[in-house]
Amino acid sequence: MRDKEKGALHGKATAAPRNVFITYADEPVCLQLGTAGAVTALQAALVVCNDVKAIDINMGCPLNFSVKGGMGSSLLSKPETVHDIVSTLKRNLPSHIAVTCKIRLLPDEAELLELGRRIEAAGADAVAVRSERTQR
């Protein structure tokens, strides 16, 4: 729920409202999003699209909860899902919202370059490559 006076979004996970996202008018904000699919990514992005300049898809997190949920570094081996997430966001978000991706090094350079090309073809505005590998 948006509170215009405080400039915050409140969650309903607890009985008392708590700030889940705060922005300041003079500071550009990029929201890094963990997602396993395009529909949920778009739903989350639409909640904050009036308050951010960019949505960054985290495709590098190797933590167990993220990988088991189909998010983070598990996306590195799912190029079709990656394409679907990025293209859905680009098609449905306001044009001033950049869509970026954070990935990790892959064991094979050609595989890394191909993933980068697929992300670019899906419409991503930028790709950041974290310079360490994760086991897949």
Side-chain angles (χ1 to χ4, degrees):
M1 166 173 58
R2 181 181 298 272
D3 180 340
K4 294 203 186 258
E5 290 179 26
K6 294 181 181 174
L9 293 176
H10 298 289
K12 294 193 175 211
T14 60
R18 62 182 173 88
N19 292 339
V20 293
F21 191 71
I22 299 173
T23 64
Y24 301 93
D26 58 340
E27 294 181 19
V29 174
C30 174
L31 174 70
Q32 188 176 73
L33 190 60
T35 186
V39 172
T40 54
L42 180 59
Q43 289 170 337
L46 288 172
V47 170
V48 297
C49 71
N50 292 323
D51 299 303
V52 300
K53 302 291 183 201
I55 301 290
D56 180 64
I57 305 302
N58 182 344
M59 299 179 192
C61 182
L63 296 179
N64 196 36
F65 80 90
S66 187
V67 173
K68 281 189 175 182
M71 303 177 288
S73 62
S74 72
L75 290 170
L76 296 173
S77 61
K78 301 175 186 173
E80 297 83 16
T81 302
V82 169
H83 185 275
D84 191 33
I85 292 168
V86 174
S87 62
T88 297
L89 291 174
K90 287 302 291 182
R91 230 183 8 257
N92 292 287
L93 290 176
S95 61
H96 70 277
I97 303 291
V99 175
T100 64
C101 300
K102 180 185 83 175
I103 63 176
R104 285 180 177 251
L105 290 175
L106 296 176
D108 178 69
E109 184 178 336
E111 188 181 356
L112 174 67
L113 292 173
E114 179 57 28
L115 179 61
R117 284 188 201 97
R118 291 190 73 139
I119 292 170
E120 179 184 32
D125 295 288
V127 177
V129 181
R130 184 170 175 159
S131 61
E132 61 184 340
R133 291 180 173 86
T134 185
Q135 293 181 334
R136 294 190 292 161

